[in-house]
Amino acid sequence: MEIAYIALGTNIEPREAYLTGALEKITEHEEIKMNNISSIYETDPVGYTDQADFLNMIIEVETTLSPMDLLAYCQGIENRLGRERDIRFGPRTIDLDILLYGEETVSTDELTVPHPRMHERAFVLVPLAELAPSYSIPKVGERVEDLLEKLPEADKKGVRDWSAEDERNDT
Ligand code: GSY
């Protein structure tokens, strides 16, 4: 049994439904137990910036699946939810990225764990800091909350609590 962290991202409507659909499908697997989920954040696109804002969140799961089997299951969910891979860093219905798998490192053509860019992305570190602030990322050797602290303010401003926005709209 290992603890893994998976990042979810979507920037094609209905974004919330894609997140909910992915969470449902994750919990359908008998070898995956959902331990914890972060808040949902609305985030400015990073990399290819000429695209819509994302909704991002992170889940903590406990699983007996190997990293490669977990990857295959996540890719199956992306396909079932209609993900097409036209533009490499472009818009997507749903993206499921394995960030961390216990203390293990994986380096194959299909999968790199820890995710190679996670330590520099505010849309990953902000939700991850909710679930695992003290987690020291293998290879990087630094804790999530320390990495987040070091990120430029401009990057952090691009990550907004979307649940809080919902509450504001209700009043
Ligand atoms: O790697 C995830 C896809 N992605 C995202 C994302 O999920 N959120 C934000 N804010 N920017 C992104 N750029 C890419 S590519």
Side-chain angles (χ1 to χ4, degrees), residues 9 43-47 51 54 56 89 92 95 97 115 121 123:
T43 67
D44 294 343
V46 171
Q51 58 178 325
F54 281 77
N56 286 110
F89 296 111
R92 58 214 48 215
D95 204 12
D97 286 331
H115 189 286
R121 289 178 160 178
F123 70 81

Side-chain angles (χ1 to χ4, degrees), residues 12 34 39 56 72 107 132 143 148:
I12 293 178
M34 183 96 74
S39 307
N56 286 110
S107 187
R143 287 150 39 106
L148 179 58

Side-chain angles (χ1 to χ4, degrees), residues 142-159:
E142 290 186 70
R143 287 150 39 106
V144 170
E145 61 188 356
D146 297 335
L147 288 163
L148 179 58
E149 178 74 30
K150 287 200 293 194
L151 282 189
E153 280 309 310
D155 288 13
K156 290 185 238 182
K157 279 206 181 103
V159 177

Side-chain angles (χ1 to χ4, degrees), residues 58-128:
I58 291 189
I59 58 174
E60 180 189 291
V61 299
E62 227 173 289
T63 185
T64 47
L65 295 177
S66 68
M68 295 315 289
D69 285 345
L70 184 60
L71 174 70
Y73 189 67
C74 288
Q75 288 178 338
I77 294 175
E78 291 176 347
N79 294 338
R80 281 151 78 195
L81 291 174
R83 165 104 186 254
E84 286 169 11
R85 292 161 198 269
D86 297 339
I87 307 176
R88 179 150 184 237
F89 296 111
R92 58 214 48 215
T93 52
I94 191 77
D95 204 12
L96 294 170
D97 286 331
I98 302 173
L99 301 173
L100 298 161
Y101 184 92
E103 299 297 317
E104 282 191 35
T105 58
V106 181
S107 187
T108 69
D109 288 347
E110 294 81 34
L111 179 65
T112 306
V113 177
H115 189 286
R117 289 172 297 282
M118 63 173 287
H119 60 282
E120 58 196 33
R121 289 178 160 178
F123 70 81
V124 171
L125 293 178
V126 171
L128 188 58

